[in-house]
């Protein structure tokens, strides 16, 4: 099976009432689907190389380059997303539960990376990562509108699991 995945640009898994297609490509160029774009827990929108900035090469950074005037606060308010009672370690900003979504048309902006005091994404425990995915699936159920949903591989960039950066295959 490993050889098959290595030589193929996609693989499909089918089960009872679902089909998952894993493929390599640019999520920002996908059409006719809802796209999950992962942000940090504060929905940070400043792109740059400072510790608290969204990195320009990340999916979120590329998305924000396409939509430089994105008003996430307005989208959060419109969606009635509630911040957690506890504030982020990063500058005491409002934070949102990992896995929560905010709709921006066909784009689903997800609260994902937990931040440390310097604004750097922290590693998830295995349980935190699974809890995030469980909540994400519940959120997708609310927003997908019977369209396909495209999700990047989560945790393969600056945010890892159990203080380890897993390979895309492992994720």
């Amino acid at each position: 099976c490993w050889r098959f995945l290595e030589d193929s640009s996609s693989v499909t898994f089918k089960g009872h009432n679902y089909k998952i297609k894993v493929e390599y490509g640019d999520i920002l160029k996908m059409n006719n689907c809802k796209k999950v774009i992962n942000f940090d827990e504060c929905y940070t929108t400043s792109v740059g190389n400072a510790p608290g900035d969204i990195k320009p090469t990340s999916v979120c950074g590329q998305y924000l380059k396409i939509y430089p005037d994105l008003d996430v606060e307005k989208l959060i308010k419109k969606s009635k997303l509630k911040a957690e009672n506890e504030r982020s370690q990063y500058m005491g900003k409002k934070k949102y539960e990992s896995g929560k979504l905010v709709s921006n048309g066909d784009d689903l902006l997800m609260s994902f990376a937990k931040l440390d005091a310097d604004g750097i994404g922290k590693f998830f425990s295995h349980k935190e990562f699974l809890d995030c995915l469980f909540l994400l699936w519940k959120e997708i159920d609310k927003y997908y509108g019977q369209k396909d949903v495209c999700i990047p591989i989560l945790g393969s960039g600056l945010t890892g699991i159990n203080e380890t950066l897993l390979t895309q295959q492992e994720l």
Side-chain angles (χ1 to χ4, degrees):
C1 188
W2 169 251
R3 188 77 188 146
F4 171 75
L5 289 173
E6 221 175 270
D7 293 340
S8 177
S9 63
S10 71
V11 63
T12 302
F13 302 94
K14 295 179 184 178
H16 186 65
N17 294 330
Y18 72 87
K19 180 171 86 172
I20 298 173
K21 182 176 181 182
V22 180
E23 67 181 75
Y24 292 93
D26 185 342
I27 191 168
L28 299 175
K29 293 180 181 174
M30 301 298 288
N31 294 312
N32 301 318
C33 64
K34 299 279 188 171
K35 294 177 276 217
V36 174
I37 308 298
N38 49 309
F39 280 69
D40 61 36
E41 68 185 1
C42 302
Y43 284 103
T44 301
T45 57
S46 60
V47 178
N49 291 310
D53 288 343
I54 300 297
K55 302 306 170 244
T57 56
S58 70
V59 171
C60 183
Q62 293 173 57
Y63 183 81
L64 290 168
K65 280 188 221 171
I66 296 169
Y67 301 101
D69 298 323
L70 182 69
D71 188 345
V72 176
E73 286 297 319
K74 183 177 176 182
L75 295 172
I76 289 171
K77 193 174 197 172
K78 183 178 175 184
S79 74
K80 299 180 176 134
L81 180 64
K82 302 282 187 225
E84 292 188 21
N85 290 332
E86 181 184 331
R87 294 285 190 149
S88 174
Q89 289 182 12
Y90 181 57
M91 299 175 58
K93 292 182 173 187
K94 288 181 192 175
K95 75 175 184 176
Y96 301 88
E97 188 175 6
S98 294
K100 284 289 192 177
L101 296 175
V102 172
S103 179
N104 185 31
D106 274 346
D107 301 326
L108 302 173
L109 313 182
M110 180 179 77
S111 173
F112 182 61
K114 296 172 182 274
L115 301 176
D116 69 12
D118 295 319
I120 297 170
K122 299 189 313 186
F123 286 95
F124 281 97
S125 69
H126 188 258
K127 182 185 180 325
E128 288 171 326
F129 189 73
L130 291 178
D131 289 347
C132 172
L133 292 178
F134 182 72
L135 180 57
L136 174 61
W137 290 125
K138 286 173 62 175
E139 289 285 290
I140 286 172
D141 204 34
K142 286 193 309 195
Y143 289 104
Y144 83 105
Q146 303 223 326
K147 283 184 122 177
D148 287 343
V149 178
C150 297
I151 305 171
I153 294 177
L154 301 171
S156 65
L158 297 174
T159 304
I161 301 165
N162 291 333
E163 299 184 23
T164 307
L165 291 175
L166 302 177
T167 67
Q168 289 186 357
Q169 183 68 30
E170 291 169 322
L171 288 165

